[in-house]
Amino acid sequence: MERTGAAPAEETESGALSCAHCAEPLAGAHALSRPIWRPIGGVSKPFCCLGCVFIAEQIALTRADSTVLSAASAVSDPAAERASVPRQPARCQIEIRGMACAACALLIEARLRATPGVAVGNVDFVARRATLVYDRNRVALHELQRTVERAGYRVAERARPEQERREQRIELLRVAVAWLAMMQVMMLAVPDYLARPGEIGAAIGTLLHAGQAILTAPVLLFSAAPLWRAAFSQLRTHQLGMDVPVALGLAAALGASVFSLQAGRGEVYFDSITMFVALLLSVRWWQQRALARASAQIDAAAARDRGRVLRLRDYPRSSEFDAVGADSLVPGDRAIVPAGALVPADGRVLEGRSALSQAWLTGEAIPVDVAPGTRVVAGSMNLNQPLVIEVLLCGEGTSLAALQRLIVQAASQRPRSVELANQVAAHFVWVLLAVSLLTALGWVIFDASSALRNAIAVLIVTCPCALSLAAPLASAAAQAALARRSVLLARPAALEELARADIVAFDKTGTLTEAEPVLTAIEPMRDRDAPGCLAVAASLESRSVHPFARAVQAAARKAGVCLAGLRDVTEEPGAGVQGVIGNRLYRFGKPHYALALAGLPARSDPASTPDCEISDERIGACLVLADQRGALANLRFGEHIRTGASDLIDQLARSGAQVALISGDRRDAVEAVAQQLNARSQLQLHCEHTPVGKQVLLARWQAAGRRVVMIGDGINDAPVLAQADASIALASGSDLAQARADVLCLRSDLGDVGFVFEMARRATRAVRVNLSWAIAYNAAMVPLAVAGHLSPLIAAVGMAASSAVVLANSLRLNSPDRSRG
């Protein structure tokens, strides 16, 4: 960005230009790229990177907010003052308690989205969490939390397990009190059902009814307290949710019962009230328990997906490293950031030149060039070359914090079926109230004594629990079942696309074949022995995550070979790696790349050039280790078919999907894979495709109306994974591929991929069954209630039974037998 304004730039004591945030000089290494200029506090200032720009803007925003608050009394128009400040978007998640079903989530969404400054507001009923994108200059986080509380729900603090346990005990106590009182009330109500007219005297009848009223009081005051609170808040905010008709039904039944008790005649509904509350709370408690387990399984699977970092042991004297968790880094550590990986922490580049994408952190799509001395920000994606960085900041600056930002972004999407069910349930509340009112008015004309009884029955029997739970419960159970198999669903809407897919495309290397090829032979060509050649090759590949690099590193560890110090390393994607060991320049990779170091063509000298052709009899590959004099050794690798690959292709073919294999390899290598899979007739082969070519191929299929699912794992798979309607990545692949995928298989097991497709189809069927049952139930029960054939007691049982059927059908998706793996 060009400099705007004539304000003096930040300067060091020597007069050199420096970064306005970190004070690093913008000379030397930084002279390779132009400084970034941004207006901060009305003054244009230079920065070394977008990360420093981002942090400086947040500091300036905090100071500006403090100034506005301190001068609030002197501002004549606070709204205009806040609107004049530039927008500062922020993302957050709010834990919410007290939701009964998806209709509650929809109610909270409506309130949050109506708040000025909120750009995105979605509430996940399963996770009991709101995901928000808002403008900090127009609305504060505490105001959003207050909005949730005004709607009748509670905002919970995270990481408070003791409070969670206390709330769970209270909820269970509410259920227990309701059931205990209900049984006692039913015992006192039995004489009314069994006695003939006139057999029970007025005094005894009044005493029995008074006893029922006394036992009903704790149910209404304690057990049903959340229902009253939520309904009151919804009425006060003019946003009707599911609790409003429930509260109206209870209030009407209570009022009629109290009037009959005082008048000494007429029906009482204390048994219906206690039965309804006990059944409703039981279903909700069962539901919350099931959803809590589902959410815990999903969170546990996410916890297993911790970023791994290659921490150097003794840099720069040695290239040996340890794979450790990103959260174990401390300032001063030196770490390798391979191409396609996330920067694990805020730090400084010590070695290497590359381009980083900071789009997830700053919203800036243009990659940032980095070189030795450049500051880098946690969560940036390394796009080109491997880097060595020194860790400067940890904690919230690690890639785990970046992962949380991705989870917040993913949580803002929901399947279409869930959105549709939520909208239908919200409108259904109004329809329910209208039907109840019309029922009461109609019965007043024909039999006024039955009007209130039948209206109450309509309110109770049509409580939209089953309808609003139909889609969210099935989606939650499916996600929990996937999490049990260590499969993370980054985009829940992808389940529908997976169920409807008619083309499933696979990458070859690392997907259908094992991600880790095996080094099978080392053929020295000159004066070095095999262990010496292995040491050089492993040192060169110590900063790469390519499958061949991992195979060389594994062979070196097995042989006990020590790695040498490495500097000036450069990785050429798709060709090989170059670096200096000692004072000698080496290359390791494809023959044409490695031998170009000595100025030799790949086949110029048969005596010194290894034959690296892939034979037709086996899957294999050969890479060359060379220096400036020519080839040093020939390293051969074996590539093995993944366990379960053939079964997965058979499963997809039986389901009617077209299966395609898309690879950048030559046709003979791709056909060799197809032959080993015994699926030559089932696979549509597409060979020698570049990443752009793969995108074009998928776009052509999509233009023809096909729904395409892509399964891959490499850096070059990331564009095509983003292009597909739905995508699956294996955790053994690169971070870039995982970031673009809708589904992530943590165990990298193709059996889990097959389970994903099966679960997507079963979840879609379960949603259809749930919705069909909920619609059929209401279509059958509403006419009976309107016609006066259902008492409030039977209506309560029917309402609870319908919700239990939907819940049980959804939980079948997450049964241990079905998700065992």
Side-chain angles (χ1 to χ4, degrees):
M1 181 177 180
E2 296 293 337
R3 182 174 179 177
T4 56
E10 304 293 324
E11 295 184 355
T12 60
E13 294 180 359
S14 62
L17 199 64
S18 64
C19 176
H21 174 66
C22 66
E24 289 293 322
L26 298 179
H30 291 276
L32 297 173
S33 59
R34 300 169 62 186
I36 301 171
W37 293 86
R38 288 289 191 274
I40 303 294
V43 179
S44 184
K45 296 184 178 183
F47 296 90
C48 63
C49 66
L50 288 174
C52 285
V53 171
F54 177 75
I55 297 172
E57 287 176 341
Q58 305 315 305
I59 295 174
L61 174 63
T62 303
R63 291 172 178 170
D65 286 345
S66 301
T67 302
V68 170
L69 290 173
S70 63
S73 59
V75 176
S76 59
D77 188 357
E81 179 72 18
R82 296 181 77 179
S84 66
V85 183
R87 290 184 298 169
Q88 288 294 334
R91 292 182 175 90
C92 74
Q93 290 186 321
I94 300 175
E95 301 291 320
I96 302 175
R97 299 295 180 265
M99 291 189 291
C101 72
C104 298
L106 193 66
L107 168 64
I108 300 172
E109 279 184 2
R111 300 296 299 168
L112 289 172
R113 292 175 180 178
T115 304
V118 175
V120 176
N122 289 299
V123 179
D124 187 342
F125 169 62
V126 176
R128 298 184 294 173
R129 187 176 300 146
T131 300
L132 300 169
V133 178
Y134 63 98
D135 185 355
R136 278 181 292 217
N137 288 336
R138 300 184 63 191
V139 62
L141 178 58
H142 70 85
E143 294 176 299
L144 298 174
Q145 293 173 332
R146 181 60 183 154
T147 299
V148 174
E149 293 170 346
R150 282 198 300 267
Y153 303 91
R154 302 189 309 279
V155 174
E157 296 291 336
R158 287 197 180 196
R160 296 284 300 277
E162 66 283 352
Q163 173 129 15
E164 286 283 334
R165 287 192 293 270
R166 180 176 178 275
E167 291 179 357
Q168 291 171 4
R169 287 195 297 269
I170 293 176
E171 294 302 320
L172 183 58
L173 183 60
R174 294 186 196 277
V175 176
V177 169
W179 275 102
L180 182 61
M182 184 271 294
M183 288 186 290
Q184 302 304 316
V185 170
M186 291 300 296
M187 182 178 67
L188 296 178
V190 166
D192 283 336
Y193 291 104
L194 299 181
R196 295 176 183 178
E199 289 186 350
I200 300 179
I204 297 299
T206 301
L207 182 61
L208 292 175
H209 292 167
Q212 295 177 41
I214 294 172
L215 291 170
T216 302
V219 175
L220 292 174
L221 296 177
F222 174 67
S223 297
L227 303 177
W228 299 114
R229 185 168 52 247
F232 176 75
S233 298
Q234 292 164 16
L235 289 172
R236 183 163 52 86
T237 57
H238 307 290
Q239 297 277 349
L240 295 188
M242 192 199 70
D243 292 303
V244 171
V246 170
L248 288 177
L250 290 175
L254 177 63
S257 301
V258 171
F259 177 82
S260 298
L261 180 61
Q262 290 179 340
R265 57 184 175 80
E267 292 187 71
V268 295
Y269 304 104
F270 296 119
D271 54 346
S272 299
I273 292 173
T274 54
M275 174 74 77
F276 179 61
V277 173
L279 290 174
L280 181 60
L281 293 183
S282 297
V283 170
R284 289 189 178 183
W285 181 80
W286 185 20
Q287 163 199 317
Q288 291 296 337
R289 288 266 298 179
L291 294 180
R293 284 195 297 267
S295 181
Q297 289 168 352
I298 295 170
D299 292 342
R304 293 193 291 269
D305 184 29
R306 295 307 189 198
R308 304 297 291 176
V309 181
L310 306 181
R311 183 172 62 191
L312 289 163
R313 296 178 185 172
D314 190 20
Y315 178 85
R317 288 185 290 273
S318 172
S319 298
E320 295 183 345
F321 60 85
D322 297 311
V324 300
D327 52 353
S328 66
L329 290 177
V330 297
D333 282 345
R334 277 73 182 275
I336 299 172
V337 184
L342 291 174
V343 175
D346 290 353
R348 187 198 321 273
V349 176
L350 297 179
E351 184 180 331
R353 301 176 187 274
S354 186
L356 302 183
S357 170
Q358 295 181 341
W360 293 345
L361 305 176
T362 65
E364 182 64 55
I366 301 175
V368 179
D369 292 329
V370 296
T374 306
R375 293 282 295 269
V376 293
V377 182
S380 304
M381 178 68 70
N382 185 13
L383 300 178
N384 295 336
Q385 305 293 336
L387 299 172
V388 175
I389 67 166
E390 179 186 5
V391 176
L392 299 179
L393 296 174
C394 298
E396 290 301 315
T398 66
S399 59
L400 297 180
L403 177 61
Q404 290 301 318
R405 286 189 285 270
L406 295 179
I407 293 173
V408 168
Q409 182 177 359
S412 64
Q413 303 181 14
R414 279 200 300 262
R416 289 188 296 271
S417 60
V418 174
E419 291 283 3
L420 178 62
N422 288 349
Q423 294 170 10
V424 171
H427 291 91
F428 189 72
V429 172
W430 287 102
V431 175
L432 162 61
L433 295 177
V435 171
S436 300
L437 179 61
L438 291 175
T439 300
L441 294 176
W443 275 97
V444 166
I445 299 174
F446 296 102
D447 183 4
S449 63
S450 301
L452 184 59
R453 170 183 176 275
N454 294 333
I456 293 173
V458 171
L459 282 172
I460 293 176
V461 80
T462 54
C463 179
C465 290
L467 186 62
S468 60
L469 292 176
L473 276 178
S475 177
Q479 290 186 61
L482 292 173
R484 192 192 294 272
R485 292 280 291 254
S486 297
V487 176
L488 290 181
L489 192 61
R491 187 171 67 94
L495 276 179
E496 295 179 12
E497 300 295 342
L498 289 166
R500 299 188 301 167
D502 46 23
I503 295 181
V504 180
F506 287 89
D507 175 53
K508 179 179 72 68
T509 304
T511 305
L512 287 179
T513 61
E514 289 287 352
E516 303 296 335
V518 178
L519 180 61
T520 58
I522 302 176
E523 302 169 356
M525 307 296 294
R526 296 213 317 261
D527 51 351
R528 279 186 185 268
D529 58 7
C533 294
L534 178 60
V536 173
S539 298
L540 289 171
E541 293 284 21
S542 62
R543 299 175 188 178
S544 175
V545 293
H546 192 279
F548 290 135
R550 293 195 291 264
V552 172
Q553 294 161 17
R557 287 193 296 270
K558 185 177 180 179
V561 173
C562 295
L563 304 186
L566 178 68
R567 58 185 175 87
D568 298 335
V569 61
T570 302
E571 184 173 354
E572 184 71 23
V577 62
Q578 171 182 295
V580 176
I581 299 176
N583 293 320
R584 198 169 178 180
L585 182 62
Y586 294 92
R587 277 190 181 182
F588 178 62
K590 292 183 177 180
H592 70 274
Y593 172 77
L595 295 176
L597 184 62
L600 299 173
R603 306 282 291 180
S604 66
D605 184 1
S608 61
T609 303
D611 183 4
C612 291
E613 292 299 315
I614 299 177
S615 66
D616 294 333
E617 289 77 18
R618 63 180 177 86
I619 302 173
C622 172
L623 301 181
V624 176
L625 176 65
D627 60 9
Q628 291 173 312
R629 294 171 50 198
L632 281 171
N634 171 31
L635 280 72
R636 294 192 177 273
F637 299 84
E639 190 177 18
H640 301 288
I641 299 296
R642 276 186 182 272
T643 303
S646 297
D647 293 338
L648 175 58
I649 292 174
D650 290 340
Q651 173 189 338
L652 294 173
R654 287 195 305 270
S655 68
Q658 176 184 328
V659 186
L661 177 56
I662 309 176
S663 177
D665 283 354
R666 297 174 305 180
R667 175 162 291 274
D668 55 357
V670 176
E671 287 181 345
V673 171
Q675 289 173 0
Q676 286 208 359
L677 289 169
N678 296 320
R680 184 62 184 87
S681 60
Q682 296 173 314
L683 278 174
Q684 186 180 98
L685 304 183
H686 299 271
C687 311
E688 301 182 29
H689 274 283
T690 63
V692 175
K694 294 179 181 179
Q695 276 187 286
V696 171
L697 178 61
L698 262 67
R700 189 163 65 243
W701 284 336
Q702 292 169 327
R706 312 295 294 274
R707 298 184 181 91
V708 185
V709 174
M710 182 68 196
I711 305 173
D713 79 327
I715 296 176
N716 60 344
D717 293 328
V720 73
L721 288 172
Q723 175 72 37
D725 296 292
S727 54
I728 301 174
L730 306 182
S732 58
S734 70
D735 289 340
L736 186 57
Q738 296 173 26
R740 296 294 187 269
D742 301 317
V743 181
L744 177 60
C745 297
L746 300 182
R747 299 192 304 184
S748 300
D749 186 345
L750 291 183
D752 292 340
V753 176
F755 182 75
V756 169
F757 283 97
E758 177 191 352
M759 182 54 61
R761 287 189 290 269
R762 291 180 54 232
T764 303
R765 284 197 302 268
V767 170
R768 293 197 189 104
V769 170
N770 287 347
L771 289 174
S772 299
W773 162 254
I775 294 172
Y777 161 79
N778 284 285
M781 301 300 283
V782 170
L784 292 175
V786 171
H789 297 308
L790 289 181
S791 68
L793 181 63
I794 301 302
V797 174
M799 179 280 304
S802 67
S803 299
V805 168
V806 168
L807 180 58
N809 184 54
S810 299
L811 292 182
R812 289 170 57 246
L813 296 173
N814 191 27
S815 62
D817 292 339
R818 292 180 179 269
S819 57
R820 187 188 300 119

